[in-house]
Amino acid sequence: MKVAPSVVKKLFFDAVEEAYRYIVENYNRVAPRFKVPERKRGEHPFICWSESDLRTLIVYYLMQKIKDIGFIHTEIVLKRIGKFKYDGKFQEKLWKEAVDEALRLKNRKFVAGDIDLAITPIESDSIPFILIAEIKYYHYDVKRYGRDPAKEIEEAYNLLKAFKEIGFTKEIAIVIGDHYYHRTQPSKSKKLEEYAKKHQHDIIYLKV
């Protein structure tokens, strides 16, 4: 079934909202059973322990919405050019352009899963993608690893916009799940929330 990429993007955000409701409802039910003071709960993300958990929940709800529209892929390694089949030189050229853009914007550094989640059309399961999404989940202070949450969201958004500009994907999205900062460091939480609001067509911020 062919639908507009913008429709798929709406279905993606609908799935994110459903995953969010699931987490919040169960967190509120389970957390009081544990003897953890409220001020410490930012360090105890019950139900959604990690970024992988958040992504898995989103995929679960998303699969039910797009089963006749597209396929979902996670943790895509950009350097593996042969991962998706090609119909011709165009796709290979497009993939190489995406790799070049990522190398440029990431200071020539790649990680295991350069793309958190992507949707391919059901007719071809190939590129260009219908949607590429970045999923960030802050359940501890990433400063301990020399990371700045606001900066890495901005960098991720710049990369996704570059992917869209070269035609590697039709739509882009970022999910920010904040379990830690809105409980312990409101100033950092506010920066994330304001950035998401500024780019609300593409970014959703969730106080998990």
Side-chain angles (χ1 to χ4, degrees):
M1 180 192 301
K2 281 190 176 182
V3 301
S6 59
V7 173
V8 176
K9 183 173 185 174
K10 183 182 182 305
L11 292 172
F12 172 78
F13 280 129
D14 287 347
V16 171
E17 292 283 4
E18 289 185 39
Y20 176 63
R21 285 196 294 273
Y22 173 89
I23 294 166
V24 171
E25 287 171 8
N26 283 281
Y27 178 85
N28 290 337
R29 179 173 59 85
V30 171
R33 299 180 187 177
F34 298 89
K35 304 300 182 183
V36 180
E38 182 60 38
R39 64 184 175 81
K40 282 286 191 177
R41 284 186 183 172
E43 301 167 18
H44 295 267
F46 303 116
I47 310 303
C48 193
W49 289 6
S50 66
E51 201 164 272
S52 294
D53 284 355
L54 179 57
R55 182 173 58 242
T56 299
L57 282 168
I58 291 170
V59 169
Y60 170 76
Y61 288 106
L62 183 59
M63 283 180 69
Q64 299 172 55
K65 297 178 183 300
I66 68 163
K67 60 183 180 180
D68 298 319
I69 299 171
F71 298 112
I72 303 168
H73 301 275
T74 61
E75 296 189 328
I76 298 168
V77 180
L78 272 172
K79 293 182 82 172
R80 295 178 184 167
I81 294 177
K83 188 171 180 67
F84 295 93
K85 76 183 188 70
Y86 302 106
D87 297 325
K89 293 290 184 183
F90 168 74
Q91 281 87 356
E92 187 172 350
K93 180 174 180 290
L94 190 54
W95 192 282
K96 287 179 177 177
E97 282 184 38
V99 171
D100 288 343
E101 279 297 302
L103 284 171
R104 181 177 68 82
L105 291 171
K106 287 189 169 191
N107 295 319
R108 311 201 71 78
K109 293 178 182 177
F110 278 104
V111 293
D114 300 298
I115 294 174
D116 283 340
L117 183 151
I119 300 172
T120 54
I122 202 164
E123 298 82 12
S124 64
D125 190 29
S126 187
I127 56 174
F129 294 112
I130 299 174
L131 178 140
I132 291 177
E134 179 80 10
I135 299 167
K136 295 288 188 186
Y137 182 46
Y138 297 108
H139 54 96
Y140 60 87
D141 190 0
V142 297
K143 184 181 179 181
R144 70 179 75 160
Y145 298 109
R147 293 162 53 195
D148 179 282
K151 184 179 178 182
E152 64 184 20
I153 292 298
E154 184 177 0
E155 289 175 349
Y157 190 43
N158 287 338
L159 179 58
L160 291 185
K161 286 191 295 183
F163 283 162
K164 186 175 180 180
E165 195 172 298
I166 65 174
F168 191 54
T169 183
K170 303 293 184 182
E171 289 287 356
I172 58 175
I174 293 180
V175 178
I176 306 171
D178 176 12
H179 182 92
Y180 181 82
Y181 291 111
H182 77 92
R183 286 179 167 86
T184 61
Q185 298 182 40
S187 60
K188 287 188 178 181
S189 172
K190 186 178 179 182
K191 281 185 179 179
L192 293 171
E193 192 168 9
E194 287 178 346
Y195 191 79
K197 188 175 181 180
K198 182 180 178 181
H199 305 286
Q200 58 188 328
H201 181 67
D202 297 321
I203 304 175
I204 186 169
Y205 170 82
L206 307 171
K207 290 182 179 179
V208 180

